[in-house]
């Protein structure tokens, strides 16, 4: 196959052995069939939802709980028992994301080469073991290694989320379900708050210590969810045991308007190169990096709340409303997205505004006004997460070509890990208790977010207009041909939807970018 991103012509005949979509045999020959009815499509979507969403919600809740154990443990004795300085505690927050960053691309390669569900489940079980080993640590060195390995094992989850949702859902549904899943971060804050509040009442003079007891509870939960995930989560619609053969075909046809296919097991080097040459890849990477400079509070939240003048036990409970605020914000953003599916840029900007106000309040309110400061902290949780969730789903629906999609996802998550690694280093002892420098960095990063969001929308909108103009002049078919050799040795061309040919979004001029 040859392609030219600056040309209106593209060879739309692809040899089967060159690596086409795994679902092509399910839908080949159905290109001219009547569209699936609304009721059929909804029934299949509901059936998929009942299996996939509980698992995604459970694993994302658990992931956020597990990676947030450091913040919860900060007021439960982990700092004292492991003789940590402020700088060492901040570095432990970075260690998780260093592992996350380094393993982002290996995970992308593995997610294409191995069964998605089994690969994710293996990593879940691995991180359960790593979480349990935290209990035996007595120094910074041991904790650093485990936090690094925890980030390495958990680094595949978000990439897997973006990949799986693009296999089963259309563009608007992807935005909703990615946001709903990320919304579970709020649920995780509520659950971890109650668990931390419970173990805070245990005797700190006995073993296991409160922070060790918390780690043990989280380890048990992770093992249970990992086993559940192993047996029930599907690798793709093609291999979904809960769907009949006819339902599998309809599940694939239902989302063909995405123009991005389902899954291809051939790693295509040329698609990786294209991903790195694509402007939007770097814009999404920069957004992910800059927006996560605000997220030091994920590790620091216990210290931030206690600095307002609350006891350790009060602090564990007072983080619970932050989770509620996040859930409310995420829910509102998905409702707006369903009503305005091409307004991702404006929705993200709108939900950053409360966070901007919150950062200003945290810098300017009197230090004696601990209720006002606490409410400003809750406001930050209301705003930032919905914006990041909307953009994460935006990444998922603006790329096609299976290898390219994984490469772009990985780049976005490298930016996420880089921002998270850097942000933990801003919360230095000399800035406490007001933390004016960290909050000032947050404000500056919001400005960067706005600029990048406008730039992403401009680039995608301009390309859509260019393609619309080409389509008006030349016309573009929504199908191509798969070249195969039949049982008698004859070369035949089988008409299929373009999305089944594993074309990238640059090669497939029928592809339109969500805005």
């Amino acid at each position: 196959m040859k392609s030219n991103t600056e040309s209106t012509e593209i060879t739309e005949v692809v040899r089967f052995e060159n690596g086409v979509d795994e679902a092509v045999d399910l839908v080949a020959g159905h290109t001219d069939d009547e569209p699936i009815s609304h009721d059929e499509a909804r029934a299949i979507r509901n059936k998929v939802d009942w299996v996939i969403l509980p698992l995604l919600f459970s694993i994302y809740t658990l992931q956020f709980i597990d990676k947030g154990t450091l913040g919860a443990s900060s007021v439960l004795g982990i700092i004292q028992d492991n003789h940590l300085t402020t700088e060492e505690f901040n570095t432990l927050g970075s260690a998780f994301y260093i592992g996350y960053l380094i393993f982002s691309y290996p995970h992308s390669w593995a997610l294409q080469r191995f069964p998605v569900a089994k690969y994710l489940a293996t990593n879940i079980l691995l991180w359960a073991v790593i979480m349990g080993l935290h209990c035996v640590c007595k120094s910074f060195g041991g904790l650093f290694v485990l936090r690094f390995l925890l980030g390495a094992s958990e680094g595949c989850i978000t990439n897997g989320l973006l990949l799986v949702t693009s296999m089963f859902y259309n563009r608007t549904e992807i935005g909703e379900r990615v946001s709903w899943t990320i919304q579970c971060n709020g649920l995780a804050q509520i659950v971890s708050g109650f668990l931390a509040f419970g173990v805070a009442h245990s005797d700190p003079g006995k073993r296991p210590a409160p922070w060790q007891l918390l780690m043990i509870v989280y380890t048990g939960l992770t093992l249970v969810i990992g086993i559940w995930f192993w047996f029930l989560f599907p690798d793709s619609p093609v291999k979904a045991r809960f769907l009949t053969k006819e339902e599998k075909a309809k599940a694939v046809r239902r989302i063909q308007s995405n123009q991005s296919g389902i899954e291809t097991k051939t790693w295509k080097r040329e698609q990786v190169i294209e991903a790195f040459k694509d402007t939007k890849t770097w814009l999404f990477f920069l957004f992910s990096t800059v927006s996560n400079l605000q997220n030091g509070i994920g590790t620091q939240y216990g210290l931030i709340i206690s600095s307002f003048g609350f006891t350790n036990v009060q602090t564990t409970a007072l983080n619970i409303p932050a989770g509620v605020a996040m859930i409310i914000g995420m829910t509102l953003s998905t409702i707006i997205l369903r009503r305005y599916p091409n307004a991702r840029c404006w929705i993200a900007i709108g939900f950053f505004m409360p966070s901007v106000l919150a950062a200003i309040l945290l810098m300017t309110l009197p230090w004696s006004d601990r209720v006002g400061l606490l409410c400003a902290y809750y406001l930050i949780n209301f705003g930032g997460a919905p914006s990041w969730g909307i953009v994460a789903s935006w990444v998922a629906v603006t790329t096609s070509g299976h290898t390219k999609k994984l490469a772009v996802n990985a780049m976005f998550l490298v930016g996420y890990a880089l921002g998270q690694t850097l942000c933990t280093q801003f919360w230095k002892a000399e800035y406490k208790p007001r933390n004016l420098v960290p909050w000032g960095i947050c404000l500056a990063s919001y400005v960067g977010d706005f600029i990048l969001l406008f730039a992403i929308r401009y680039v995608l909108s301009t390309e859509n207009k260019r393609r619309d103009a080409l389509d008006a002049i030349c016309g573009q078919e929504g199908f191509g041909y798969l070249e195969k050799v039949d049982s008698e040795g004859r070369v035949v061309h089988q008409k299929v939807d373009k999305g089944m040919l594993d074309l990238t979004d640059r090669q497939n001029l029928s592809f339109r970018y969500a805005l």
Side-chain angles (χ1 to χ4, degrees):
M1 182 181 67
K2 64 179 182 178
S3 66
N4 187 334
T5 59
E6 301 301 325
S7 171
T8 62
E9 297 182 356
I10 182 168
T11 302
E12 294 170 348
V13 179
V14 178
R15 292 181 178 177
F16 185 82
E17 61 269 20
N18 284 353
V20 293
D21 203 279
E22 294 280 295
V24 70
D25 288 332
L26 277 176
V27 296
H30 295 281
T31 308
D32 298 320
D33 288 2
E34 288 293 319
I36 298 172
S37 70
H38 175 74
D39 289 341
E40 283 182 307
R42 184 174 59 183
I44 291 171
R45 185 195 65 196
N46 290 344
K47 195 170 184 179
V48 169
D49 279 347
W50 278 106
V51 174
I52 287 182
L53 291 186
L55 286 159
L56 287 180
F57 293 169
S58 297
I59 199 57
Y60 223 81
T61 300
L62 192 63
Q63 183 197 30
F64 193 84
I65 288 174
D66 284 356
K67 71 181 180 182
T69 50
L70 197 62
S73 300
S74 65
V75 294
L76 295 176
I78 194 172
I79 294 176
Q80 294 78 10
D81 287 355
N82 287 271
H83 316 292
L84 302 176
T85 65
T86 299
E87 288 71 22
E88 287 175 337
F89 181 77
N90 291 343
T91 301
L92 290 178
S94 298
F96 178 94
Y97 292 102
I98 294 171
Y100 195 109
L101 188 156
I102 291 173
F103 280 84
S104 290
Y105 265 95
H107 281 316
S108 287
W109 178 87
L111 283 167
Q112 182 159 27
R113 297 303 295 269
F114 302 116
V116 174
K118 298 300 182 288
Y119 184 74
L120 292 175
T122 299
N123 278 277
I124 295 168
L125 295 171
L126 180 61
W127 101 48
V129 174
I130 296 168
M131 179 61 63
L133 290 174
H134 278 64
C135 297
V136 301
C137 286
K138 298 180 180 179
S139 67
F140 166 76
L143 285 174
F144 183 92
V145 171
L146 290 177
R147 297 301 296 178
F148 174 88
L149 293 175
L150 192 65
S153 62
E154 292 191 26
C156 63
I157 300 301
T158 301
N159 201 339
L161 161 67
L162 298 176
L163 184 63
V164 168
T165 52
S166 67
M167 291 181 186
F168 285 93
Y169 298 106
N170 66 37
R171 290 182 172 189
T172 301
E173 292 166 355
I174 289 170
E176 291 173 341
R177 280 147 186 81
V178 169
S179 293
W180 290 345
T181 305
I182 294 175
Q183 178 178 273
C184 292
N185 289 354
L187 176 61
Q189 284 184 286
I190 296 171
V191 173
S192 64
F194 278 115
L195 290 174
F197 182 75
V199 301
H201 288 82
S202 63
D203 188 346
K206 295 182 178 179
R207 290 294 181 263
W211 69 271
Q212 292 172 320
L213 185 58
L214 192 66
M215 300 286 184
I216 293 170
V217 172
Y218 290 167
T219 300
L221 288 173
T222 308
L223 284 172
V224 170
I225 299 299
I227 294 169
W228 180 29
F229 203 93
W230 178 281
F231 287 107
L232 292 183
F233 201 78
D235 293 310
S236 71
V238 180
K239 298 178 181 178
R241 290 179 293 179
F242 60 90
L243 296 175
T244 65
K245 185 175 181 180
E246 182 182 359
E247 287 173 334
K248 290 176 183 178
K250 289 180 178 179
V252 174
R253 290 178 58 211
R254 191 182 77 84
I255 63 166
Q256 284 184 337
S257 61
N258 292 357
Q259 288 289 323
S260 58
I262 303 298
E263 182 181 30
T264 306
K265 286 301 182 185
T266 303
W267 182 265
K268 298 181 179 179
R269 181 173 174 271
E270 67 274 14
Q271 290 194 9
V272 177
I273 294 171
E274 181 180 312
F276 278 105
K277 290 182 177 180
D278 196 331
T279 302
K280 73 176 187 296
T281 302
W282 292 100
L283 289 173
F284 279 127
F285 163 79
L286 288 172
F287 171 84
S288 190
T289 302
V290 172
S291 63
N292 279 285
L293 294 177
Q294 305 141 17
N295 281 348
I297 57 175
T299 301
Q300 298 287 330
Y301 72 83
L303 300 177
I304 291 171
I305 295 174
S306 64
S307 72
F308 296 155
F310 298 102
T311 67
N312 289 347
V313 173
Q314 289 172 333
T315 295
T316 59
L318 286 173
N319 193 49
I320 293 171
V324 176
M326 186 183 295
I327 290 173
I328 293 171
M330 296 294 288
T331 301
L332 286 174
S333 70
T334 57
I335 291 171
I336 296 170
L337 178 63
R338 177 175 290 190
R339 179 68 178 83
Y340 304 101
N342 260 347
R344 287 168 169 83
C345 171
W346 311 119
I347 296 170
I349 288 173
F351 275 91
F352 269 131
M353 292 302 183
S355 297
V356 172
L357 174 61
I360 293 172
L361 290 174
L362 285 161
M363 295 174 70
T364 58
L365 283 174
W367 194 241
S368 58
D369 185 6
R370 64 178 190 171
V371 174
L373 292 167
L374 186 62
C375 290
Y377 167 74
Y378 294 152
L379 193 58
I380 276 193
N381 285 272
F382 172 83
S387 299
W388 198 87
I390 289 293
V391 177
S393 69
W394 202 3
V395 174
V397 300
T398 52
T399 306
S400 67
H402 197 70
T403 304
K404 182 180 180 183
K405 188 185 299 182
L406 284 164
V408 172
N409 289 352
M411 197 67 179
F412 183 72
L413 295 173
V414 165
Y416 165 79
L418 181 59
Q420 291 277 10
T421 301
L422 294 173
C423 73
T424 58
Q425 300 304 311
F426 303 149
W427 301 81
K428 297 182 179 296
E430 57 263 36
Y431 303 144
K432 297 179 185 298
R434 291 245 48 165
N435 291 311
L436 293 178
V437 171
W439 296 126
I441 291 172
C442 287
L443 278 175
S445 70
Y446 292 131
V447 176
D449 291 336
F450 297 154
I451 293 171
L452 289 166
L453 287 168
F454 284 131
I456 292 167
R457 183 179 173 88
Y458 173 78
V459 168
L460 298 183
S461 177
T462 301
E463 179 60 17
N464 280 347
K465 291 175 183 176
R466 186 183 79 87
R467 294 186 181 202
D468 289 341
L470 285 174
D471 192 41
I473 296 170
C474 308
Q476 293 291 327
E477 297 288 353
F479 57 84
Y481 293 90
L482 178 64
E483 184 177 294
K484 300 176 69 173
V485 178
D486 66 14
S487 57
E488 297 179 2
R490 295 175 301 183
V491 176
V492 295
H493 288 171
Q494 198 168 29
K495 187 178 180 180
V496 296
D497 187 271
K498 275 187 179 180
M500 296 292 104
L501 299 178
D502 197 37
L503 301 176
T504 67
D505 50 281
R506 283 191 171 189
Q507 294 168 332
N508 182 1
L509 295 179
S510 297
F511 189 97
R512 293 297 183 272
Y513 296 101
L515 302 176

